[in-house]
Amino acid sequence: KLENIMLKEPLANNKSAEPILIDFGVAAQIKQARGTGGTLITMAPEYLRRIRGETPPELDLDLTKLDIYSLGVVVYRLWTGRYPLDGITEKTITAAILNDVPLPPSEINSHLPKIADELMSSWLAKNPDSRPNINDIITVLNKIV
């Protein structure tokens, strides 16, 4: 989640800042203790289905695809100032993640190029097999940055 990304130095004078990811140990402890872990709003649909007991526990989840979904949530929030899917209660948030399609980010932030909509559509795909791999993401980002 966005709150777990800190900057090594404050942003100043159009200088880029090095991001640092925090909170790995706490997430790992929670996951081990409860068998789940993470922040609901950033969880991929297949992970929620696993937590709800809708998929067999012996079926392996692709951790990279889970992370790509969560990356999509974080980037969407950076680009638009809000989460792609939201709700008031745990039940409505879960239902939104499992069933709803987020607005294209360019409809919220008109400064975004249309490629942002395509990226989010693939990163936040309900089917993990429809999400790109990390090499594809890096290639596309290098083209637009």
Side-chain angles (χ1 to χ4, degrees):
K1 63 182 175 178
L2 191 56
E3 290 78 8
N4 289 348
I5 303 172
M6 305 296 290
L7 298 178
K8 194 170 187 176
E9 298 173 10
L11 291 174
N13 300 326
N14 293 327
K15 210 173 126 181
S16 62
E18 183 180 346
I20 300 170
L21 300 178
I22 62 169
D23 198 23
F24 290 109
V26 174
Q29 290 172 8
I30 293 169
K31 187 174 184 177
Q32 187 175 34
R34 294 190 311 184
T36 64
T39 302
L40 177 61
I41 199 72
T42 65
M43 289 182 185
E46 66 273 22
Y47 190 64
L48 289 174
R49 287 187 191 93
R50 169 65 59 83
I51 292 170
R52 293 164 47 122
E54 296 172 9
T55 59
E58 64 275 3
L59 181 68
D60 286 336
L61 293 175
D62 184 334
L63 299 179
T64 302
K65 298 295 183 165
L66 293 173
D67 286 343
I68 288 169
Y69 183 91
S70 295
L71 173 66
V73 171
V74 169
V75 172
Y76 189 102
R77 187 167 173 217
L78 283 169
W79 287 348
T80 66
R82 63 188 203 196
Y83 289 106
L85 298 164
D86 208 347
I88 296 171
T89 65
E90 184 176 315
K91 185 176 180 178
T92 59
I93 294 169
T94 300
I97 292 169
L98 292 174
N99 304 306
D100 298 347
V101 176
L103 282 174
S106 69
E107 288 187 23
I108 301 165
N109 179 350
S110 61
H111 299 294
L112 292 171
K114 288 294 178 187
I115 188 80
D117 298 343
E118 295 171 30
L119 291 174
M120 281 303 114
S121 177
S122 65
W123 294 1
L124 298 174
K126 301 291 183 204
N127 181 347
D129 294 333
S130 298
R131 293 183 207 132
N133 64 48
I134 194 65
N135 292 328
D136 293 338
I137 290 172
I138 291 168
T139 299
V140 170
L141 289 176
N142 281 331
K143 286 179 183 178
I144 63 172
V145 173

